[in-house]
Amino acid sequence: MAQLIWNGLFVGSFYALVALGYSMVYGIIKLLNFAHGDLYMLGAFSGFALLGTFGAVPGGSLAALFVVLVLTMLVSGLSGVALERVAYRPLRGAPRLSLLITAVGASFALEYGVRIIAGPNPRVYPVRLDGTAVSVLGARITVQQLVLMVVAVGLMVALNALVMRSRQGRAMRAIALDPKACLMMGIDVDAVISRTFFIGSALAGAAGVMAGAYYGKIDFLMGFIIGLKAFTAAVIGGIGNLKGTMLGGLVLGLLESFSTDWFGGEWRDVFAFGFLILFLTVRPTGLLGARVTERV
């Protein structure tokens, strides 16, 4: 039981990091950015390229990984800003269906752009985090797992502090409530939205590097399934609610861990998405989401 809980929390922390970008963007401009999972994939490949250079940094693989993690967050964050500027900003006043179709097109563009550059075959990560496991309350935990978990939780705590306690966070929350009023109050709405994309994309890129280093293999389609899982986590927790999204990621990770043990790995996704359907019939707004009235 303890091992299943630990495995679920560990995987759920990755889901939560990626889902936060979904939730932030939706909460501010009501856009489902279906290309967000591919920014996770782009982060993994950026880390792969950078580790080819920094993999031999003195101090070992963890030191190299932390250096690359910061650089990758910068690369993936800027990629998210470019995506918003080129694909989404010109269509911000268009019908939402146009934005959704554009997001799907951007997802394919990122996937097959990376395929052209890096090739279709999976790549083995230059740094692999594995080590001797220790038993804690019946669960086998490695130091590397614990470090990645602490990094993921630290990033989520920092994001929550930024949104809830900083001037930038107040601007984000104000735009989520009424972007037109924010314009009249002198807030640079476009700049705040760009920063939101940067933060969400940087978190996705960090998750991509950590997943590549832990699992040891990446491919150009890895962002598709994680994008669906992150969207599911955001919906379970209450899309647009940061704490709910974090909780949703952990809940999804636990669901997958227990379903794999009960039914086998082939039923993992069936169980997770089936639970989502049943859950939404009972609580459509998610665990911590609030029912809102659409303005006209």
Side-chain angles (χ1 to χ4, degrees):
M1 176 69 75
Q3 187 66 55
L4 294 177
I5 293 174
W6 169 251
N7 291 342
L9 293 177
F10 181 71
V11 174
S13 65
F14 289 118
Y15 291 158
L17 271 183
V18 184
L20 283 169
Y22 261 121
S23 199
M24 289 174 66
V25 170
Y26 181 83
I28 290 180
I29 61 174
K30 300 299 182 285
L31 165 66
L32 293 175
N33 181 17
F34 288 119
H36 187 69
D38 297 295
L39 292 169
Y40 162 91
M41 175 271 298
L42 187 63
F45 273 91
S46 299
F48 174 85
L50 290 169
L51 280 168
T53 304
F54 294 104
V57 167
S61 59
L62 276 177
L65 187 64
F66 279 121
V67 172
V68 169
L69 187 69
V70 174
L71 294 175
T72 300
M73 290 177 71
L74 181 62
V75 171
S76 57
L78 292 175
S79 300
V81 171
L83 179 65
E84 187 274 333
R85 183 67 184 86
V86 173
Y88 300 145
R89 188 179 298 182
L91 295 174
R92 200 174 294 160
R96 290 187 185 177
L97 182 60
S98 301
L99 279 167
L100 288 176
I101 293 171
T102 301
V104 173
S107 173
F108 283 121
L110 287 172
E111 287 175 6
Y112 289 93
V114 171
R115 183 186 186 277
I116 291 170
I117 296 170
N121 298 321
R123 297 295 189 96
V124 177
Y125 232 60
V127 172
R128 178 70 188 273
L129 294 181
D130 50 12
T132 305
V134 295
S135 180
V136 179
L137 299 177
R140 297 179 72 252
I141 300 173
T142 66
V143 175
Q144 288 80 1
Q145 283 181 319
L146 195 57
V147 169
L148 292 180
M149 187 77 162
V150 168
V151 171
V153 172
L155 288 172
M156 288 187 274
V157 170
L159 174 64
N160 186 66
L162 172 71
V163 172
M164 301 307 297
R165 299 181 183 177
S166 71
R167 183 177 180 181
Q168 177 68 27
R170 286 195 296 272
M172 290 179 182
R173 288 182 280 130
I175 292 172
L177 291 173
D178 196 330
K180 292 182 180 178
C182 290
L183 280 172
M184 291 187 286
M185 295 297 292
I187 296 176
D188 190 340
V189 173
D190 287 339
V192 173
I193 291 174
S194 291
R195 292 187 197 111
T196 302
F197 269 86
F198 179 88
I199 295 168
S201 302
L203 292 176
V209 172
M210 291 190 288
Y214 182 73
Y215 294 111
K217 187 178 73 170
I218 60 173
D219 64 83
F220 75 100
L221 290 175
M222 65 185 288
F224 176 74
I225 189 64
I226 194 70
L228 290 178
K229 296 289 183 67
F231 176 67
T232 302
V235 172
I236 288 175
I239 192 164
N241 184 304
L242 294 187
K243 292 179 181 178
T245 300
M246 297 176 200
L247 178 61
L250 298 179
V251 168
L252 181 60
L254 289 169
L255 284 171
E256 289 192 353
S257 178
F258 279 93
S259 64
T260 299
D261 182 67
W262 293 339
F263 306 112
E266 65 273 17
W267 286 92
R268 181 184 62 184
D269 294 342
V270 175
F271 187 86
F273 291 116
F275 174 84
L276 173 66
I277 294 170
L278 292 175
F279 176 77
L280 289 179
T281 61
V282 177
R283 189 170 177 81
T285 57
L287 290 171
L288 301 183
R291 189 178 298 275
V292 295
T293 304
E294 191 76 18
R295 291 187 181 90
V296 243

